[in-house]
Amino acid sequence: MYSSKITGLGHYVPENVVTNDDLAQWMDTNDEWIQERTGIKERRWIDPKTGDTTAVMGAKAAKIAIERANLTKDDIDFIIFATLSPDMYFPGGGVQIQDLLEMPTIGALDVRNQCSGFIYSLSIADQFIKTGMYKNILVIGSENHSGGLEKSTRGRGVTVIFGDGAGAAVLSRSEEEGRGILSSHLHSEGKHAKELALIGPSTERWVPEIIKDNDPEDVSYFPHMNGQFVFKHAVVRFSEAIVEGLQANGLNKEDIDMLIPHQANLRIAQFIQKKFGLADNKVYNNIMRYGNTTAASIIIALTEAWEEGKIKENDLVVLAAFGSGFTWGSVVIRW
């Protein structure tokens, strides 16, 4: 049985910065209101003139991760691409990465687990490597939210939260015992699916039907979130996933060197930090700069924390996420 470890990390965010004051030009909101509820000061939104898309951003992040892993594109055996905002309804972004990076005809898998997408993707990659099927797997989380948000007062509860960006990791085979990914833990509760969802366009509500109805009050094609309901579940499930990961490895909360939570809301992250009694230098947050980038959020934060020297060899790193689905999970890593 092999183990798997992260050998390369990279991220990419659009240059276009959208501040809270910028949003106040389009909707009834202000910087104080947004920061008080979310902790967000600004986010990055794609400028269409740049040619950035979900797949293009993913490819840019992937190139950095592959180079940092001291590998070439030809060394990658498999691609796992997590997103809720693919460039096309189908096919998914994984095959676009294979094309954009001019890779051999390796397999590409798309993961649609929204905020938990990177956790699920990393877990899948870990299993492929541990069973000996693959040696080097490229795992990407990338999101283009800005093109599908309702940029008006009616949609402000969702629109102010989300940003665009991408992150990538190379997961490689290792024979070191007790290092790399120690365990992963995945959960879902579909009865709450519509509390955080985009109902249409979909196979239940195709575009022709939306056009035919032509109802200006219809918001089914914009993201919907029951914010308080999601918050209450998030703080519980985040905690459960972290505890589950620690217990599975005979560890305690005092053993955590770095917790990287999904960047959904700074208030959630602060609640979890306080509950586990973690010092500020043991939790990494960047939501204030990027907003919620869904499947990209953990990998962007992980990359930045590593780049800043806040994750060192032999550190215990815990990744945790909760989001639409509902889905949630954790990954425990000995760096």
Side-chain angles (χ1 to χ4, degrees):
M1 191 79 147
Y2 299 106
S3 61
S4 65
K5 66 177 182 179
I6 294 174
T7 55
L9 291 167
H11 82 285
Y12 172 83
V13 292
E15 292 185 3
N16 181 40
V17 177
V18 178
T19 67
N20 293 341
D21 289 334
D22 291 332
L23 295 183
Q25 307 302 310
W26 308 327
M27 61 189 73
D28 182 12
T29 190
N30 58 67
D31 178 66
E32 182 182 6
W33 187 89
I34 296 171
Q35 286 203 54
E36 180 182 339
R37 286 159 178 78
T38 68
I40 300 168
K41 298 179 181 179
E42 60 187 39
R43 72 285 296 144
R44 305 295 181 95
W45 281 359
I46 287 174
D47 180 346
K49 296 191 294 290
T50 64
D52 278 341
T53 69
T54 301
V56 168
M57 291 191 299
K60 290 178 178 179
K63 288 180 180 178
I64 298 169
I66 293 170
E67 181 178 348
R68 287 175 171 173
N70 294 316
L71 300 173
T72 71
K73 61 182 178 61
D74 296 333
D75 295 315
I76 302 298
D77 304 312
F78 195 67
I79 302 163
I80 302 178
F81 193 98
T83 188
L84 65 71
S85 53
D87 293 351
M88 297 175 276
Y89 193 94
F90 68 87
V95 296
Q96 291 178 277
I97 295 299
Q98 184 275 332
D99 178 46
L100 287 168
L101 297 187
E102 299 181 331
M103 291 173 144
T105 55
I106 57 175
L109 173 69
D110 291 275
V111 173
R112 294 293 300 275
N113 285 89
Q114 294 70 247
C115 301
S116 303
F118 186 74
I119 295 292
Y120 270 73
S121 299
L122 205 57
S123 178
I124 294 166
D126 179 47
Q127 308 311 313
F128 273 135
I129 288 175
K130 284 180 175 174
T131 59
M133 185 169 182
Y134 296 121
K135 186 177 180 181
N136 298 301
I137 299 179
L138 176 62
V139 184
I140 298 170
S142 183
E143 301 290 4
N144 172 9
H145 284 298
S146 59
L149 297 172
E150 186 179 16
K151 300 180 179 75
S152 68
T153 298
R154 185 176 68 175
R156 65 180 177 179
V158 172
T159 299
V160 302
I161 296 172
F162 292 98
D164 303 337
V170 175
L171 202 64
S172 300
R173 183 186 300 171
S174 173
E175 295 185 5
E176 292 184 77
E177 287 191 27
R179 297 290 292 277
I181 294 181
L182 303 183
S183 65
S184 56
H185 310 271
L186 310 175
H187 297 277
S188 71
E189 191 174 22
K191 69 180 180 180
H192 300 309
K194 291 188 177 181
E195 301 297 341
L196 177 50
L198 176 60
I199 306 302
S202 68
T203 53
E204 290 188 357
R205 186 159 174 72
W206 287 112
V207 173
E209 183 181 345
I210 294 173
I211 294 173
K212 180 183 66 177
D213 291 349
N214 194 28
D215 180 1
E217 297 302 315
D218 183 7
V219 296
S220 68
Y221 43 88
F222 290 117
H224 161 76
M225 180 173 65
N226 184 344
Q228 290 187 340
F229 189 87
V230 172
F231 186 99
K232 290 177 182 178
H233 279 73
V235 294
V236 173
R237 298 308 192 185
F238 260 111
S239 299
E240 289 177 353
I242 294 167
V243 170
E244 182 180 17
L246 293 173
Q247 290 180 343
N249 295 283
L251 299 166
N252 301 308
K253 60 184 181 180
E254 292 78 15
D255 296 312
I256 297 174
D257 294 301
M258 179 58 69
L259 170 65
I260 299 188
H262 163 56
Q263 303 295 294
N265 185 309
L266 186 60
R267 308 304 165 224
I268 295 175
Q270 290 172 334
F271 181 95
I272 299 302
Q273 177 180 349
K274 184 177 180 181
K275 182 171 183 178
F276 282 85
L278 298 174
D280 289 346
N281 65 348
K282 292 195 172 186
V283 182
Y284 192 87
N285 291 299
N286 60 7
I287 190 171
M288 58 286 295
R289 298 192 300 276
Y290 303 129
N292 180 347
T293 56
T294 309
S297 81
I298 286 180
I299 182 56
I300 291 175
L302 178 63
T303 301
E304 288 197 330
W306 173 78
E307 289 173 342
E308 294 169 17
K310 295 180 178 179
I311 297 176
K312 301 175 293 296
E313 188 173 350
N314 209 43
D315 276 356
L316 186 76
V317 179
V318 177
L319 315 178
F322 172 88
S324 174
F326 287 157
T327 60
W328 64 95
S330 63
V331 174
V332 181
I333 305 169
R334 178 66 69 184
W335 206 257

